[in-house]
Amino acid sequence: VTEQLPQALAAAIGGLSQEPFLALLLANVLLLVFGTILDIGAAILILTPLLVPALTALGVDPTHLGVVIVINLMLGGLTPPIGMLAFIASTISGTPVHAIFRQLLPFLAVLIAALLAVTYVPAISLGLGRLLDAL
C-alpha cells in the first residue's frame, strides 16, 4: 500500500491497453499463472486488490471480475505441473498424480473455453443477478 502498487498496476494495465478485452486477457494469463503457483485463498487476497482498481477503471463490472478471478484461480489450481488441487485429489484418492493430470487434460480444454466464454460474455456471470433484480 505504501508503495502504491495497485495504482502502479492500474497504470501499467492502462498503459498496455485501454481496451477492456485485452486487459481481461492479460488478467486471465496473470491469474492462471498465479493460480498454478499459489494457494487459491492467498492468490485472492493478494491479486484482487491489485486487479480490481485497474480493471474497473476500464469499465469492467466488479461482480463479473470477481467471477472471472475465481474461475481463473480454480482452473490454475488444476493446471499441471504444480496444480495444487490435483495433488490434493491424488492424496485423497490414492491415485498417482500423473494419472490425474493425464485424465484431466481433456477437461482443461473445455474449462478454458468456458473461462473465455465467461470472461468475454459478461451476461453469463451477470444475467441471473440482473434477472432477480428485475423481479
Side-chain angles (χ1 to χ4, degrees):
V1 172
T2 59
E3 296 296 325
Q4 297 184 352
L5 190 59
Q7 292 84 356
L9 183 64
I13 290 176
L16 289 174
S17 172
Q18 292 295 332
E19 181 64 38
F21 290 117
L22 182 58
L24 281 168
L25 179 65
L26 294 172
N28 277 341
V29 171
L30 177 76
L31 288 164
L32 283 173
V33 169
F34 275 97
T36 302
I37 299 168
L38 292 176
D39 175 57
I40 294 164
I44 288 173
L45 288 173
I46 294 168
L47 295 173
T48 300
L50 300 176
L51 292 175
V52 169
L55 292 172
T56 55
L58 293 175
V60 177
D61 186 271
T63 305
H64 175 239
L65 183 56
V67 171
V68 169
I69 288 172
V70 170
I71 292 173
N72 265 297
L73 293 175
M74 294 303 292
L75 186 56
L78 292 171
T79 305
I82 304 172
M84 199 176 309
L85 298 176
F87 282 96
I88 292 170
S90 170
T91 302
I92 291 172
S93 68
T95 306
V97 74
H98 63 83
I100 288 178
F101 279 137
R102 189 175 336 113
Q103 295 297 318
L104 190 62
L105 285 177
F107 293 102
L108 285 176
V110 174
L111 289 170
I112 289 172
L115 169 65
L116 292 174
V118 169
T119 300
Y120 294 113
V121 183
I124 294 173
S125 60
L126 300 174
L128 183 60
R130 290 182 180 161
L131 180 67
L132 292 175
D133 282 342
L135 296 175

